Amino acid sequence: MAFVFTVAELAAYLSERLREDETLLDLSVVGEIGHLAQPNSGHVYFTLKDEGAVLQAVMWRSVVRYLGRLPAVGQTVMAHGRLEFYPPRGELRLITDDLRPEGGVGELYRRFEQTKARLQAEGLFDTARKRPLPPCPRRIGLITSPTGAAVHDFLRVLAERWPLADVLLVPSLVQGDQAPASLRAALAALYRREDIEVIVLARGGGSIEDLWAFNDEELARFIARSPVPVITAVGHETDFTIADFVADYRAPTPTAAAHAVVATDATTYRQQLTQTMIRLTELVRSHVTRGRLRMEQTEAALRRLSPRYRIEQQRQYVDELDRRLTHGWQQTFQRRRLLVNGLEQRLAALNPLAVLGRGYALVRDADGRVVRSVAQAVPGRRLNVHVADGWFRVVVSAEG
Amino acid sequence: MEDLSHLSFEQALAELQRTVAALEAGGGDLEADIAHYERGMALIRHCHHLLDRAELRVRLLMPTGEEVPLSPGGRGISEALPEEGAFDLDTDRDPF
């Protein structure tokens, strides 16, 4: 049994099914503009067609604003958006959020490479041309869309990093056919001023077509003529535009530009100031210490010159002499005592009487002469015999 | 103590650097050194004060050349913007 719908039910069912299909929510369609109308509402209604089919499409006023120029009937375009069922008219239509002349991305790349090669050959990208960024610029010129995310990202980060800066925001178109001229006019407004120290050219992420304005050759040449350093921050990290090549500094994103535009942020300055404070205190303390040391040295020198000091010195000298004298005497005394002891021992060893202890005897005649020969021992003669513990008298009885 | 309020951050910082260098070089008499020290400390306080009190100033440059100050930090840009289309620049008039 087939389903029975009311028309409204079917419309709701169709809408539901369309929303479930991810392909239909994010698609690009290439076709020729069939007809196109822009009523007072500002919305643009058009059709896309080719040999076999027609598709209704609508572009809301908010999107139309960013489109440089409306396409002409008969022009082949690529429209991006989502497919929607519109019940009041029973139509499927493409809610378009982007519309590009179809010439294709390939054509864009070809032109990009040509422009790049030409400007490079002229030396506009030379590293030698790049100027250093001012360390902490006071006035910063910011060229960007006043309604995009880039301006908020940039200002939020800059307010944290360097709140002493003064930003002059120059609103500009940043996409579409009129964007290059708008960007140049904004640059010119800043070039005329004396107070701007650095210019930031920013735009948030987008497709290659969205960023195309920044590949404009005239814009590049104009950036090259800037009297102050120019920072570009276009799209995401991976996007490189001609403007990036010619700028003095290329920041990968608007947030990164807010980092690049001030080399040292407030937090770092605060730390440096605290360190400087410590350094100053140390320096002065060391100077005071050195001063005190000098004073003490001078005081000591002065004291050396005073009479009291000299008397004291003399007294000490006398004491010293006294000490040396006493010491010297003691040494001499000791040395002599040792000498005497030694001599005494040596003398004892040489004492001829010492042998008497071993049982020898010494014989002398009455006159005290030592008897060395039997010739002196005439019988009857009285002799004195000395032994260890004394002496006695003997009479020689006969010859031996 | 001399009033430093007229000094910009950059001026104060530059003078601070000179003051520290003078102290580092030494050789001055103690009184001069202490004067340098006090000046340096005052400059540091001034720099801190400037950083503490600072709020990012943002002005919007109108096509007429008029500058419209925005709230600190650049809040309220959309409110400050004139009618839609005011920045749709006349591309036929090349500014150069």
Side-chain angles (χ1 to χ4, degrees):
Chain A
M1 182 63 184
F3 239 99
V4 177
F5 287 101
T6 63
V7 177
E9 280 167 358
L10 183 57
Y13 177 76
L14 269 174
S15 298
E16 193 55 42
R17 294 305 298 267
L18 288 175
R19 276 196 289 273
E20 284 167 9
D21 189 327
E22 287 186 18
T23 304
L24 299 180
L25 293 177
D26 179 12
L27 77 160
S28 292
V29 185
V30 176
E32 191 180 307
I33 301 280
H35 61 83
L36 184 145
Q38 185 175 27
N40 290 336
S41 65
H43 307 319
V44 171
Y45 300 92
F46 59 103
T47 57
L48 287 171
K49 61 171 188 171
D50 55 17
E51 297 81 26
V54 175
L55 177 68
Q56 300 292 330
V58 59
M59 190 157 50
W60 306 124
R61 185 181 58 188
S62 55
V63 179
V64 175
R65 269 187 72 200
Y66 289 106
L67 207 62
R69 193 172 53 210
L70 289 178
V73 171
Q75 192 180 353
T76 302
V77 296
M78 182 193 281
H80 177 271
R82 65 185 163 86
L83 212 58
E84 178 192 87
F85 184 71
Y86 183 55
R89 294 179 68 94
E91 283 175 359
L92 270 177
R93 56 188 198 178
L94 183 71
I95 309 299
T96 308
D97 56 27
D98 199 5
L99 193 60
R100 314 261 137 208
E102 170 64 0
V105 169
E107 167 65 13
L108 288 182
Y109 271 123
R110 206 177 50 77
R111 273 164 50 200
F112 176 85
E113 290 301 333
Q114 279 175 349
T115 311
K116 188 180 160 193
R118 194 159 46 241
L119 296 179
Q120 190 155 29
E122 288 178 31
L124 258 57
F125 304 163
D126 288 0
T127 317
R129 291 193 71 257
K130 313 277 182 211
R131 289 164 288 195
L133 304 179
C136 51
R138 202 160 177 72
R139 291 190 197 283
I140 299 167
L142 173 64
I143 299 175
T144 189
S145 158
T147 53
V151 65
H152 292 288
D153 289 348
F154 180 85
L155 291 177
R156 180 175 47 77
V157 176
L158 186 65
E160 279 168 25
R161 279 180 61 81
W162 195 234
L164 287 171
D166 194 334
V167 177
L168 185 63
L169 171 60
V170 191
S172 172
L173 296 173
V174 291
Q175 80 181 54
D177 292 345
Q178 298 174 55
S182 175
L183 289 166
R184 276 186 286 132
L187 282 169
L190 292 180
Y191 290 177
R192 278 194 292 269
R193 302 174 66 99
E194 299 286 319
D195 58 343
I196 299 295
E197 292 162 58
V198 61
I199 295 173
V200 178
L201 213 55
R203 191 212 187 283
S207 68
I208 177 179
E209 294 92 341
D210 289 341
L211 308 182
W212 195 253
F214 293 86
N215 290 324
D216 183 78
E217 184 170 341
E218 270 186 87
L219 176 64
R221 292 184 188 283
F222 203 67
I223 291 171
R225 279 162 49 192
S226 173
V228 295
V230 175
I231 298 174
T232 50
V234 181
H236 296 297
E237 283 88 336
T238 48
D239 298 319
F240 278 86
T241 63
I242 302 286
D244 288 325
F245 292 121
V246 78
D248 293 280
Y249 185 88
R250 180 239 174 202
T253 61
T255 305
H259 281 273
V261 77
V262 284
T264 313
D265 67 357
T267 308
T268 311
Y269 270 117
R270 278 183 214 279
Q271 287 165 356
Q272 284 179 0
L273 285 169
T274 305
Q275 278 163 7
T276 308
M277 195 154 77
I278 294 167
R279 179 93 185 104
L280 272 178
T281 310
E282 277 171 356
L283 279 170
V284 160
R285 191 173 292 152
S286 87
H287 284 208
V288 169
T289 306
R290 213 178 311 143
R292 181 171 295 144
L293 200 67
R294 260 207 308 273
M295 194 183 75
E296 283 169 2
Q297 284 166 349
T298 311
E299 195 187 339
L302 206 61
R303 226 179 306 135
R304 274 198 294 280
L305 294 173
S306 78
R308 174 187 290 229
Y309 178 79
R310 286 166 71 175
I311 290 167
E312 189 60 33
Q313 287 290 299
Q314 299 289 2
R315 195 201 304 282
Q316 282 182 21
Y317 185 56
V318 168
D319 285 350
E320 168 71 9
L321 287 177
D322 183 19
R323 195 183 62 78
R324 281 161 62 187
L325 198 62
T326 308
H327 183 69
W329 158 241
Q330 279 173 350
Q331 272 196 335
T332 311
F333 181 79
Q334 189 68 18
R335 206 162 41 234
R336 292 207 173 143
R337 189 203 295 278
L338 288 172
L339 188 64
V340 169
N341 287 349
L343 287 172
E344 194 179 357
Q345 280 170 18
R346 281 165 65 194
L347 205 58
L350 292 172
N351 183 358
L353 297 178
V355 297
L356 300 185
R358 308 215 300 266
Y360 294 91
L362 176 71
V363 182
R364 294 180 196 270
D365 62 15
D367 300 323
R369 288 187 300 256
V370 175
V371 177
R372 298 175 190 274
S373 163
V374 291
Q376 290 171 275
V378 182
R381 180 171 288 179
R382 293 169 191 268
L383 298 171
N384 296 325
V385 177
H386 296 262
V387 291
D389 56 351
W391 63 280
F392 56 89
R393 194 166 292 159
V394 295
V395 178
V396 180
S397 59
E399 288 176 57
Chain B
M1 180 58 60
E2 201 188 330
D3 183 22
L4 299 179
S5 57
H6 65 283
L7 286 182
S8 73
F9 184 84
E10 294 77 6
Q11 287 170 327
L13 198 68
E15 193 186 330
L16 180 60
Q17 280 160 350
R18 286 196 299 274
T19 305
V20 174
L23 260 182
E24 276 172 340
D29 58 53
L30 201 57
E31 208 170 320
D33 285 350
I34 287 170
H36 277 313
Y37 170 75
E38 283 175 350
R39 179 73 177 172
M41 288 309 225
L43 288 165
I44 289 171
R45 278 194 299 275
H46 180 59
C47 285
H48 272 303
H49 175 68
L50 288 179
L51 288 175
D52 290 342
R53 170 194 83 166
E55 272 192 303
L56 188 69
R57 289 205 298 156
V58 184
R59 286 163 302 142
L60 192 65
L61 185 65
M62 295 299 191
T64 55
E66 186 196 353
E67 290 175 23
V68 179
L70 301 179
S71 352
R75 290 181 289 276
I77 294 176
S78 14
E79 290 80 358
L81 284 175
E83 296 291 300
E84 223 176 77
F87 291 109
D88 293 352
L89 300 149
D90 180 1
T91 47
D92 293 333
R93 192 198 57 181
D94 194 299
F96 319 101

